């Protein structure tokens, strides 16, 4: 028995994590857009990926159980999907080596385990090469809708602004609050603080433009966030506002901003870089 040996080759094929001392994000090709929202909800390209990966594993599984006939069926399915996928994105044609998919089928036909290992390694390398070059960028671009189209009503200036402009106004009023508090300009701090709190509350309207479940909104803009904003409001209305307490609550709010940025800002930054 040579159990486990074939697995090695398959692992190469489906490997997600790769060692590298440099990660480059290449702009995904135009024609890939066809297979993702908003153009398509079916994720056809990704779906072929899952199919190939499953077929790859199925060959391995069946060979390990001595079912060569079944293994051959899956190998042929893998080859067919591989060929079909090679035509989906013309810009990526050269990543695919149809001959290696054919060799893989022949290796399974030969019922020679060592040949199968060799052939699956070679085929698997074509998968890995493209993944290294493209997978991260594709995920960041196509799995997140753009914030570019999202508009928010600014509660202070009563106008609709883009997300990035809203963020600038929001963070500028937060900075102004900090500056005036530090300088001891209480009236100015109160005004900036009120603006900031209103804008921070206004952020909530944004979530439901993409999320259908309230729980996503609550996970970040939850009770602690509301309470910190209310506290800032209350502290600011005192005759001699307690600076330290205000800063403490601002830090709490800031943690919330960071949480949302950790989830949403990185894809948006990559998308914007490619849009320019
Ligand atoms: C959806 C969750 C979310 C929350 C909550 C959030 N942000 Fe943002 N923020 C974003 C996204 C997305 C961008 C990128 C917008 C773009 O460039 O189109 C951004 C960008 C920014 C920017 C850069 C603006 C620019 O273009 O120069 C600043 C500054 C900022 N946010 C501050 C804040 C502050 C301060 C808070 C909390 C009070 C906050 N954000 C809360 C999602 C969020
Ligand atoms: C020409 C480029 C290219 C080739 C060749 C390629 N892939 Fe992919 N693959 C991708 C891209 C891009 C993604 C990310 C797609 C996405 O997340 O929407 C991906 C994603 C995947 C995933 C899904 C990972 C996940 O969980 O999101 C699997 C599994 C996969 N590929 C298997 C394979 C196998 C097996 C082969 C070879 C037989 C292969 N791929 C060949 C580009 C390629
Ligand atoms: C432009 C669309 C968009 C907007 C606006 C948006 N999100 Fe998201 N958010 C996503 C996407 C896409 C994901 C990744 C998960 C997925 O694919 O559903 C995600 C993931 C999340 C997650 C983790 C997974 C989950 O679904 O719970 C949280 C929490 C979250 N967002 C909170 C927020 C909050 C809070 C806001 C408003 C301040 C917000 N989002 C605004 C698109 C958006």
């Amino acid at each position: 028995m040579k159990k486990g040996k074939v697995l090695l080759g398959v692992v190469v094929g489906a490997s997600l994590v790769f060692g590298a001392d440099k990660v480059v994000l290449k702009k995904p090709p135009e024609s890939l857009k066809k297979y993702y929202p908003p153009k398509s909800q079916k994720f056809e390209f990704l779906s072929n990926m899952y199919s190939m990966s499953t077929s790859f594993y199925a060959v391995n599984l069946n060979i390990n159980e001595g079912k060569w006939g079944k293994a051959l069926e899956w190998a042929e399915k893998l080859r067919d999907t591989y060929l079909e996928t090679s035509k989906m994105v013309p810009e990526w044609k050269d990543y695919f080596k149809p001959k290696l998919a054919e060799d893989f089928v022949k290796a399974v036909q030969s019922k020679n385990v060592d040949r199968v290992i060799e052939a699956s390694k070679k085929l698997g390398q074509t998968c890995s090469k493209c993944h290294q070059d493209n997978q991260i960028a594709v995920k960041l671009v196509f799995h997140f809708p753009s914030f570019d189209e999202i508009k928010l009503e600014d509660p202070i200036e009563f106008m609709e602004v883009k997300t990035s402009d809203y963020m600038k106004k929001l963070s500028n009023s937060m900075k102004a609050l900090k500056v005036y508090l530090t300088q001891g300009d209480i009236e100015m701090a109160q005004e900036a603080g009120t603006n900031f709190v209103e804008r921070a509350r206004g952020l909530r309207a944004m979530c439901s433009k993409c999320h259908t479940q309230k729980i996503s909104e609550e996970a970040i803009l939850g009770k602690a966030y509301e309470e910190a904003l209310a506290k800032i409001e209350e502290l600011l209305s005192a005759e001699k506002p307690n600076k330290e307490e205000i800063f403490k609550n601002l830090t709490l709010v800031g943690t919330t901003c960071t949480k949302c940025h950790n989830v949403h800002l990185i894809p948006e930054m990559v998308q914007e870089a490619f849009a320019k």
Side-chain angles (χ1 to χ4, degrees):
M1 279 304 282
K2 292 191 175 179
K3 261 193 190 169
K5 249 182 133 184
V6 179
L7 188 68
L8 195 86
V10 176
V11 168
V12 173
S15 169
L16 274 180
V17 182
F18 42 85
D21 51 15
K22 188 162 84 176
V23 175
V24 179
L25 298 176
K26 284 196 204 174
K27 184 172 180 166
E30 273 304 303
S31 53
L32 193 62
K33 282 189 187 154
K34 290 203 281 293
Y35 311 113
Y36 288 94
K39 291 234 173 93
S40 163
Q41 302 298 325
K42 292 196 199 133
F43 293 86
E44 295 89 340
F45 187 84
L46 180 58
S47 151
N48 276 15
M49 292 293 146
Y50 287 130
S51 160
M52 289 194 290
S53 180
T54 304
S55 301
F56 231 139
Y57 184 67
V59 171
N60 169 61
L61 199 63
N62 279 296
I63 291 177
N64 278 351
E65 290 170 7
K67 297 179 193 150
W68 286 94
K70 284 279 168 229
L72 182 59
E73 283 171 28
W74 284 105
E76 284 166 346
K77 184 167 154 58
L78 172 55
R79 174 200 57 202
D80 294 348
T81 312
Y82 189 85
L83 290 181
E84 184 195 301
T85 313
S86 74
K87 293 176 191 128
M88 289 174 84
V89 185
E91 297 93 325
W92 279 350
K93 197 170 116 281
D94 292 344
Y95 280 112
F96 293 89
K97 309 289 176 214
K99 185 177 172 295
L100 296 181
E102 200 54 62
D103 289 350
F104 180 64
V105 171
K106 284 192 190 132
V108 177
Q109 259 163 356
S110 79
K111 301 191 184 178
N112 176 329
V113 173
D114 287 325
R115 248 185 93 180
V116 175
I117 292 175
E118 195 47 36
S120 68
K121 257 192 211 160
K122 283 194 174 144
L123 181 60
Q125 278 161 6
T126 72
C127 318
S128 306
K129 175 76 177 91
C130 184
H131 292 161
Q132 271 185 46
D133 288 355
N134 301 298
Q135 194 172 10
I136 299 175
V138 167
K139 288 205 176 297
L140 291 171
V141 170
F142 289 108
H143 290 251
F144 283 83
S146 169
F147 276 81
D148 234 27
E149 333 266 285
I150 306 274
K151 293 228 164 61
L152 275 176
E153 166 96 13
D154 180 52
I156 309 304
E157 294 166 26
F158 300 106
M159 55 182 203
E160 288 233 297
V161 295
K162 289 196 312 182
T163 305
S164 62
D165 291 331
Y166 193 92
M167 291 290 161
K168 277 182 205 140
K169 289 177 189 296
L170 172 72
S171 80
N172 283 345
S173 41
M174 178 161 81
K175 287 180 215 165
L177 168 60
K178 289 180 178 170
V179 171
Y180 291 132
L181 268 185
T182 309
Q183 292 174 190
D185 290 342
I186 299 308
E187 257 175 56
M188 299 296 277
Q190 281 164 336
E191 192 188 329
T194 310
N195 291 353
F196 169 66
V197 169
E198 285 307 311
R199 284 180 170 135
R201 286 189 177 130
L203 273 178
R204 198 175 282 282
M206 180 160 77
C207 316
S208 56
K209 303 200 176 186
C210 295
H211 290 282
T212 48
Q213 289 187 302
K214 200 79 182 157
I215 192 166
S216 303
E217 184 183 320
E218 290 302 317
I220 293 178
L221 303 184
K223 215 170 147 212
Y225 181 73
E226 273 314 317
E227 282 171 3
L229 292 177
K231 194 80 195 156
I232 292 170
E233 219 171 23
E234 184 195 317
L235 289 162
L236 276 171
S237 65
E239 216 167 290
K240 275 187 105 189
N242 182 336
K243 275 191 216 174
E244 233 171 69
E245 277 298 306
I246 294 176
F247 273 104
K248 222 172 84 190
N249 283 283
L250 275 176
T251 305
L252 255 169
V253 173
T255 314
T256 305
C257 313
T258 305
K259 262 197 209 170
C260 206
H261 289 167
N262 283 344
V263 180
H264 294 94
L265 188 54
I266 296 155
E268 185 63 27
M269 284 167 78
V270 174
Q271 289 179 15
E272 260 177 49
F274 288 143
K276 274 167 192 156

